Amino acid sequence: VLADIWSAALGVEVGVDDDFFELGGDSIAAMKVIGRAAREGLRVTSRQLFERRTVARLAAVIEDPAPTDAPATGARLPGV
C-alpha cells in the first residue's frame, strides 16, 4: 500500500528500497503521501517521511489504526 501511495504522489514506480527524495520527492509530494496515507488509515508524519526515506524504513515505524472493534481509550470492558 505504501509503495502505491508513493508511486501516485511521485508519478514513478517505487521499490521498497528507493529513496523518496532521489525519486523526485519534495515537501509538496510528502504532504500528498501523508494525506493519502491518512485516507488509507495509516498515520505517517512528515518527520517520519523525512527521516526514513524508503518504503521499507517508513513501513517499520508507521502506525496502523486500532481495529474498529477495539475499545476506545479509557473505555471500560464489561465486567471489569
Side-chain angles (χ1 to χ4, degrees):
V1 172
L2 197 53
D4 292 337
I5 292 170
W6 283 27
S7 289
L10 298 171
V12 298
E13 290 295 316
V14 175
V16 295
D17 294 316
D18 291 333
D19 184 288
F20 181 78
F21 297 99
E22 289 177 5
L23 291 173
D26 56 19
S27 59
I28 301 297
M31 294 301 109
K32 290 179 183 178
V33 166
I34 292 165
R36 174 115 185 251
R39 287 191 297 278
E40 295 288 334
L42 303 172
R43 183 176 181 272
V44 178
T45 66
S46 57
R47 182 177 185 156
Q48 289 171 326
L49 183 55
F50 279 78
E51 290 179 350
R52 294 165 177 88
R53 299 161 58 131
T54 69
V55 169
R57 291 184 68 211
L58 185 59
V61 298
I62 62 173
E63 297 177 19
D64 286 323
T68 56
D69 60 340
T73 303
R76 295 192 63 143
L77 298 175
V80 177

